[in-house]
Amino acid sequence: MKDIAKIAGVSINTVSRALNDKPEINEKTRRRIKRIARELNYTPNSIAASLASRKTKTIGLIIPDICDPFFAQQARGVEDTAKEEGYSVILLNTDEISEAELKAVATLRSIRVAGLMLTSVFPGTDHIENLNKQKVPLVLLNRRCQEIDTNYVINDNQKGAYKATKHLIKLGHKKIGVILGPQRITSVLDRYVGYKKAMAEAGIELSEKYIVYGENLKPSTGEILAEQLLRNNPRPTAILAYCDSLAIGAYAAARNMGLSIPEELALVGYDDIPYAQYFEIPLTTVAQPAYNMGKAACKIILEKIKLGGDEKDLESQHIVFEPELVIRKSCGAQVQIESSWSDY
Amino acid sequence: MKDIAKIAGVSINTVSRALNDKPEINEKTRRRIKRIARELNYTPNSIAASLASRKTKTIGLIIPDICDPFFAQQARGVEDTAKEEGYSVILLNTDEISEAELKAVATLRSIRVAGLMLTSVFPGTDHIENLNKQKVPLVLLNRRCQEIDTNYVINDNQKGAYKATKHLIKLGHKKIGVILGPQRITSVLDRYVGYKKAMAEAGIELSEKYIVYGENLKPSTGEILAEQLLRNNPRPTAILAYCDSLAIGAYAAARNMGLSIPEELALVGYDDIPYAQYFEIPLTTVAQPAYNMGKAACKIILEKIKLGGDEKDLESQHIVFEPELVIRKSCGAQVQIESSWSDY
DNA sequence: AACGCTAACGTGAGCGCTAACGGTAACGCT
DNA sequence: AGCGTTACCGTTAGCGCTCACGTTAGCGTT
């Protein structure tokens, strides 16, 4: 930039104005400067720009595991919307480990991200309050926060689980096991509540033995938990999994134990990952619009960034998507054939 | 940091030394300064640090689409290794669009990433040469580069495709169609060569009609291309897909056309995404160690960063992983039952 | 006692940019 | 003619750190 200024015979500031398309500059000089910049193969140093302007063009995204297609789709939604406005996204996986989340938030704070989307697994709120204090826009993805008011984007977890459970009940099941995730996660609680509500409405008593919690959302965990459920006597005739990833583990467990799905075990998942329809026994599941949820979260962030911590911007945004039960074979209901593949 | 210095009664520099664990400082003052920093809830500004030191702690990862589980696993491998050394990764999706790749490289250059991993879809080399000129460590992921010598991490694409094709031939197939990706991608070429080699060895003549190229690697593209292949007369009895994502589309195409797999159509994919084994007709495919490939790529980057553009470090690294044919039902061969789920 | 040496800290300059302000010429207006 | 006004550009002062020095006190050494 200094070199450009020297060659163009103008001040550094003018070069900055030209390259950043500021208004107070002659159109000819702008073009000339841009040409020189191109000839010099100049790459703007956004680090320096960030330091000087105290603004960055990066936002952070903290999720449990990008390998889970549900989060991958959300990440894609985030990245696409961020890119539209010239923002880059830094991705951090936590594996549902609380300490990893704290560390992730710390590094992103130090990188001075302009905003932050968080699928939180941490029970505390200190890190969230810190962000608020520093006026870093935050939206919780897939999570609510009971203690403090924050932006969030979720699907109606309670309703989704309610729908799924009710569906199983309608199919005649009474002994319905449920595989949940870490208990500290709000959406786990919400889906549990939905399950409980449906059971209560049907007058079915809950059994502690039919409710298991996992430390993460990986299929291997689902497999262990499903086996645990299926060793009960009497054995549950249906399983509701917190998410499709865990449901995949349940498939494996059933296979291990020689149980056929759906005849001997009905299975319902949550998320509707794109592969669920292609399984040997296509998975009945509760669909969430993952991509659009990511988009929505990012849009909120972008909006808040533009407002720039404006005092008038007091209210936080809450977007709740509608969950939709997708009935396939794994639950044992009648099904119609699915249409073509629709990309992630 | 200034505030800390004032409170501690030392210079800013001493604070910097304390916080960054530099050696030339008294252990007591260090602890005292760290305590004060904690009390003030101080967050280091890595932007300023980067500008002053001309080093950043972020690396870039450019891939076609994070929603493809294969790339998701690679991304995970990258992120995990980066995190170990305190680096963050910026993720950019290109959707196999060349312009998107150029733009991605440009933004990452301007962010001054310390290193860059690239699953390139761009035929040119200008952007790569620019990175070399600026001494930004680069490793190509899943791609080679014919023109210039660069680091790369791939699997032996030619051999993998050769194995898969040979397997189909051994099963009695002669009319083997192949669904490829964008022609400009090196791995597409390599897999095509492997296919061609196996066909030649078996004395089977190639037919242009049985070779189709897609503009991207999405299932919907695979569906269209598979239908195109299957409308041929005589119809191919087997299809080799460039990747599992495209193979998924082939499943849909077969369903649409009322063809049963593997009886009327044998299908083989590439990548071995974790869901392939759970499909209605489990997918025979060529496995790549995606996670470890990501790890390997990131390790090279980290190494190169440490060397810091050392003149002696002339040679680039080439890591080639061994592809492994995983035989399941979709090809029509005899199969054994798969074991438990192993996480992504 | 005079010397060097080292541990521990301070000083100053600067990384590459932005933002606020200041200056100047050219123009129009009364 | 004198005034304000606008368009354009330069100047200055940082942003919050790091790095290469310079400095000082305290120590051992001969």
Side-chain angles (χ1 to χ4, degrees):
Chain A
M1 190 146 150
K2 223 189 328 183
D3 303 337
I4 301 176
K6 210 169 285 174
I7 294 178
V10 294
S11 78
I12 292 178
N13 198 330
T14 306
V15 177
S16 170
R17 275 193 276 252
L19 262 25
N20 291 312
D21 292 318
K22 292 270 168 68
E24 324 93 337
I25 192 172
N26 189 298
E27 200 39 54
K28 275 179 209 160
T29 22
R30 156 168 304 144
R31 272 202 291 271
R32 192 162 55 90
I33 289 172
K34 284 203 173 182
R35 207 199 54 228
I36 295 172
R38 218 173 315 120
E39 280 165 8
L40 291 182
N41 200 356
Y42 166 77
T43 320
N45 187 326
S46 55
I47 303 264
S50 292
L51 182 60
S53 66
R54 266 164 293 181
K55 280 178 209 153
T56 57
K57 281 290 206 175
T58 54
I59 56 182
L61 175 62
I62 301 177
I63 53 172
D65 184 7
I66 191 70
C67 286
D68 189 321
F70 174 69
F71 294 120
Q73 285 179 269
Q74 286 195 332
R76 202 55 224 276
V78 168
E79 213 261 300
D80 285 356
T81 30
K83 188 155 26 185
E84 283 171 18
E85 301 275 334
Y87 284 83
S88 308
V89 2
I90 295 187
L91 179 75
L92 267 352
N93 300 297
T94 63
D95 281 320
E96 286 95 10
I97 298 169
S98 298
E99 294 76 41
E101 174 174 335
L102 287 182
K103 223 175 150 190
V105 172
T107 62
L108 290 180
R109 277 213 300 163
S110 116
I111 292 179
R112 299 288 191 269
V113 287
L116 175 40
M117 276 147 293
L118 175 59
T119 297
S120 179
V121 292
F122 191 73
T125 57
D126 281 9
H127 57 320
I128 294 179
E129 284 173 38
N130 273 332
L131 289 166
N132 281 342
K133 245 181 265 167
Q134 292 186 190
K135 304 238 179 215
V136 181
L138 166 76
V139 9
L140 292 180
L141 235 185
N142 310 313
R143 306 282 185 264
R144 292 176 299 110
C145 184
Q146 285 104 327
E147 292 86 357
I148 0 175
D149 182 40
T150 55
N151 307 299
Y152 61 74
V153 173
I154 54 169
N155 90 100
D156 193 333
N157 288 299
Q158 189 181 322
K159 193 192 263 186
Y162 174 81
K163 277 185 181 177
T165 311
K166 199 167 175 186
H167 176 70
L168 286 170
I169 293 171
K170 218 185 292 174
L171 290 172
H173 295 280
K174 285 183 190 302
K175 297 190 286 292
I176 303 174
V178 56
I179 300 175
L180 296 167
Q183 216 161 349
R184 60 184 178 279
I185 295 179
T186 57
S187 55
V188 168
L189 178 67
D190 290 343
R191 290 185 200 174
Y192 171 67
V193 169
Y195 162 80
K196 208 166 63 175
K197 191 176 155 205
M199 295 290 269
E201 277 185 12
I204 306 173
E205 220 173 309
L206 289 187
S207 164
E208 282 290 325
K209 286 183 178 171
Y210 289 167
I211 302 164
V212 291
Y213 293 90
E215 257 321 291
N216 59 52
L217 308 177
K218 292 187 200 308
S220 60
T221 305
E223 185 173 347
I224 294 168
L225 294 175
E227 285 186 2
Q228 188 182 321
L229 276 181
L230 294 171
R231 271 197 299 269
N232 272 308
N233 199 336
R235 198 203 304 135
T237 60
I239 286 182
L240 171 66
Y242 169 79
C243 64
D244 290 351
S245 272
L246 289 170
I248 288 175
Y251 275 110
R255 190 166 52 187
N256 296 344
M257 302 178 77
L259 297 172
S260 68
I261 295 176
E263 292 81 7
E264 296 171 277
L265 177 68
L267 183 59
V268 177
Y270 209 114
D271 289 350
D272 194 25
I273 61 173
Y275 306 95
Q277 58 173 294
Y278 278 93
F279 292 166
E280 182 173 0
I281 316 295
L283 182 63
T284 295
T285 189
V286 181
Q288 300 191 62
Y291 182 82
N292 285 329
M293 291 173 77
K295 258 187 127 49
C298 196
K299 271 183 189 162
I300 294 178
I301 287 288
L302 260 22
E303 205 174 299
K304 299 281 176 191
I305 292 173
K306 265 185 202 149
L307 289 171
D310 200 330
E311 291 306 327
K312 278 164 284 181
D313 175 43
L314 293 165
E315 19 186 328
S316 45
Q317 293 196 32
H318 311 279
I319 299 185
V320 181
F321 281 85
E322 197 66 17
E324 189 191 341
L325 183 66
V326 180
I327 298 171
R328 299 200 184 94
K329 281 191 189 163
S330 71
C331 62
Q334 310 289 52
V335 280
Q336 74 289 16
I337 300 162
E338 205 121 352
S339 61
S340 299
W341 174 277
S342 64
D343 284 329
Y344 326 109
Chain B
M1 191 147 149
K2 225 191 323 184
D3 304 337
I4 300 176
K6 212 169 284 176
I7 293 178
V10 294
S11 78
I12 291 179
N13 196 334
T14 307
V15 177
S16 170
R17 274 193 277 251
L19 263 24
N20 292 314
D21 293 316
K22 292 271 168 67
E24 324 93 337
I25 192 171
N26 189 298
E27 200 40 55
K28 275 178 210 161
T29 23
R30 157 169 304 143
R31 271 200 293 270
R32 193 163 53 90
I33 288 172
K34 283 203 174 182
R35 209 200 53 229
I36 295 173
R38 220 173 314 119
E39 282 165 7
L40 291 182
N41 199 356
Y42 167 77
T43 320
N45 187 326
S46 56
I47 302 262
S50 291
L51 182 60
S53 66
R54 264 162 295 183
K55 281 177 208 154
T56 57
K57 282 289 205 174
T58 53
I59 56 181
L61 174 62
I62 301 177
I63 54 174
D65 185 7
I66 191 69
C67 286
D68 189 320
F70 174 70
F71 295 119
Q73 285 179 269
Q74 287 194 333
R76 201 56 223 275
V78 168
E79 213 262 299
D80 285 356
T81 29
K83 185 152 35 183
E84 283 171 18
E85 303 274 335
Y87 284 83
S88 308
V89 2
I90 294 185
L91 179 75
L92 266 352
N93 302 89
T94 63
D95 281 320
E96 286 96 9
I97 298 169
S98 299
E99 294 75 40
E101 174 174 336
L102 287 181
K103 222 176 152 191
V105 172
T107 63
L108 290 180
R109 277 213 301 163
S110 118
I111 292 179
R112 297 291 191 267
V113 287
L116 174 40
M117 276 148 294
L118 175 60
T119 297
S120 179
V121 291
F122 191 73
T125 57
D126 282 7
H127 58 321
I128 295 179
E129 283 173 40
N130 273 332
L131 289 167
N132 282 341
K133 246 181 263 166
Q134 291 186 190
K135 302 239 180 217
V136 181
L138 167 76
V139 11
L140 293 180
L141 236 185
N142 311 313
R143 305 283 184 264
R144 294 175 299 109
C145 185
Q146 286 106 325
E147 291 86 357
I148 0 176
D149 183 39
T150 56
N151 306 299
Y152 60 76
V153 173
I154 54 168
N155 91 102
D156 194 332
N157 286 300
Q158 189 180 324
K159 193 192 264 185
Y162 173 81
K163 277 185 181 178
T165 311
K166 200 167 173 186
H167 175 70
L168 285 171
I169 293 171
K170 219 186 292 175
L171 290 173
H173 293 281
K174 285 184 190 303
K175 296 189 287 294
I176 303 174
V178 55
I179 300 175
L180 296 166
Q183 214 160 350
R184 59 185 178 277
I185 296 179
T186 58
S187 55
V188 169
L189 179 67
D190 291 344
R191 290 185 200 172
Y192 170 68
V193 170
Y195 161 82
K196 207 165 64 175
K197 192 176 154 204
M199 295 291 268
E201 278 184 11
I204 305 173
E205 220 172 309
L206 289 187
S207 163
E208 282 291 325
K209 287 184 179 172
Y210 289 167
I211 301 165
V212 291
Y213 294 90
E215 258 320 291
N216 59 53
L217 309 177
K218 293 188 197 310
S220 59
T221 305
E223 185 173 345
I224 295 168
L225 294 175
E227 285 187 3
Q228 187 182 324
L229 276 180
L230 294 171
R231 270 197 298 269
N232 271 309
N233 200 336
R235 197 202 305 134
T237 61
I239 286 183
L240 171 65
Y242 169 79
C243 64
D244 290 351
S245 271
L246 288 171
I248 288 175
Y251 275 110
R255 190 167 52 188
N256 295 345
M257 302 179 75
L259 298 172
S260 67
I261 295 175
E263 292 81 7
E264 295 172 277
L265 177 68
L267 183 60
V268 177
Y270 209 113
D271 290 348
D272 194 25
I273 62 173
Y275 306 94
Q277 58 173 292
Y278 278 93
F279 291 167
E280 181 173 0
I281 315 295
L283 182 63
T284 295
T285 189
V286 180
Q288 298 192 63
Y291 183 82
N292 285 330
M293 290 172 78
K295 259 188 127 46
C298 195
K299 271 184 188 160
I300 294 177
I301 288 287
L302 259 23
E303 204 175 298
K304 298 281 175 190
I305 292 174
K306 264 185 201 148
L307 289 170
D310 200 333
E311 290 307 325
K312 277 165 286 182
D313 175 44
L314 292 166
E315 17 184 329
S316 45
Q317 293 196 33
H318 310 279
I319 299 184
V320 181
F321 282 85
E322 197 65 18
E324 190 191 341
L325 183 66
V326 180
I327 298 172
R328 299 200 184 93
K329 280 190 189 162
S330 70
C331 63
Q334 309 288 52
V335 280
Q336 75 288 16
I337 300 163
E338 206 122 349
S339 62
S340 300
W341 174 275
S342 63
D343 284 330
Y344 325 108

